[in-house]
Amino acid sequence: MTATKPSPATEDRRQRKARRTRDALATAACDLILERGWAATTVEAIAERADVTRRTFSRHFAGKADAALDFVRRDGDRINALLRSRPAEEPPLPAYRRAVRAWLADREDPAWHVRPRMRRLLALADTEPELFAAYQRIRVDAQEESIRIVAGRLGSDDARDVRPAAVVDAAAGVLIAALRLWARGGEGDSGAADLAALVERAYDALTSEAAAATPDSTTTEE
């Protein structure tokens, strides 16, 4: 008997359902961690809040840190998609900066960072070791993909050419620095506009410092 291949419409419905389940779990993880604290939040409680089984949770996430920070992974994917779409003739650093700008300016699907209470979760990632480790893994994964994209734009081999990694590490580092500073702000600060302005100032600082830099003079010690 030949198995029936799922239709594209059926596949789309399954994907949408999986995305809704994943989003519900991520939201539940964030909410519970902020309500109860990191140590008091269990995977079982997250699954119960999202109205799914523990087994369903495990199909989507390795642990509560990955669930709570799924929005970081999604936003990294979105930045990389925007980076791919930048004009081919645009230099890598301005392309990355404009990709970040477009991500922050999207009102139809707002960056998760600017949603209520997310800055508290990002601030917690600086102090909770397991959450910090998950944040770093997600960040590195996103930057590795960015490096591959930039290497493709430059027509170079990222294993031999230092430029893609140098550009991405600098550009992503600026964004991370701005996010960390923003996360330490008060809940009363304006969300999206506040973060977008801070990111722009951070990139301005990078470019102005780079423009002012001169090659180090070398001296020979006797």
Side-chain angles (χ1 to χ4, degrees):
M1 182 176 179
T2 304
T4 302
K5 184 178 180 180
S7 68
T10 301
E11 198 66 24
D12 288 345
R13 285 196 298 272
R14 288 175 180 172
Q15 290 172 353
R16 289 194 296 270
K17 183 178 179 181
R19 169 48 62 191
R20 287 195 296 268
T21 299
R22 189 178 180 94
D23 286 349
L25 285 165
T27 299
C30 292
D31 289 346
L32 286 171
I33 288 168
L34 293 175
E35 290 169 13
R36 303 179 182 180
W38 175 259
T41 300
T42 64
V43 166
E44 289 74 17
I46 294 169
E48 183 178 356
R49 175 69 66 92
D51 197 24
V52 300
T53 65
R54 174 66 169 79
R55 185 175 179 180
T56 297
F57 177 96
S58 298
R59 285 203 298 268
H60 290 277
F61 299 110
K64 62 182 180 180
D66 288 330
L69 294 175
D70 192 50
F71 71 93
V72 176
R73 187 178 300 280
R74 281 188 64 189
D75 283 348
D77 290 343
R78 290 173 61 194
I79 291 170
N80 280 331
L82 289 163
L83 179 58
R84 287 189 194 92
S85 71
R86 297 303 306 169
E89 68 277 7
E90 197 170 48
L93 183 57
Y96 192 100
R97 178 178 182 173
R98 288 161 187 161
V100 169
R101 183 185 295 159
W103 161 63
L104 287 171
D106 188 348
R107 294 293 176 264
E108 293 184 5
D109 186 11
W112 277 55
H113 298 86
V114 299
R115 297 183 184 187
R117 303 195 300 172
M118 287 302 102
R119 62 184 4 170
R120 285 175 54 198
L121 190 67
L122 287 174
L124 183 62
D126 268 349
T127 60
E128 173 51 53
E130 189 176 346
L131 204 57
F132 178 81
Y135 185 86
Q136 294 306 311
R137 286 197 309 273
I138 293 168
R139 178 187 62 78
V140 168
D141 286 346
Q143 287 181 216
E144 288 294 331
E145 180 61 20
S146 298
I147 289 169
R148 288 189 287 270
I149 295 168
V150 169
R153 293 173 65 88
L154 293 173
S156 69
D157 179 359
D158 61 278
R160 297 177 179 273
D161 187 349
V162 72
R163 292 177 299 165
V167 168
V168 169
D169 286 352
V174 167
L175 175 59
I176 291 165
L179 281 168
R180 181 175 289 118
L181 188 61
W182 174 80
R184 293 170 181 167
E187 288 291 335
D189 295 343
S190 58
D194 181 55
L195 177 56
L198 182 57
V199 168
E200 288 297 324
R201 292 199 302 273
Y203 277 115
D204 285 343
L206 173 66
T207 53
S208 63
E209 288 296 323
T214 58
D216 290 337
S217 60
T218 57
T219 57
T220 302
E221 293 184 359
E222 296 294 338

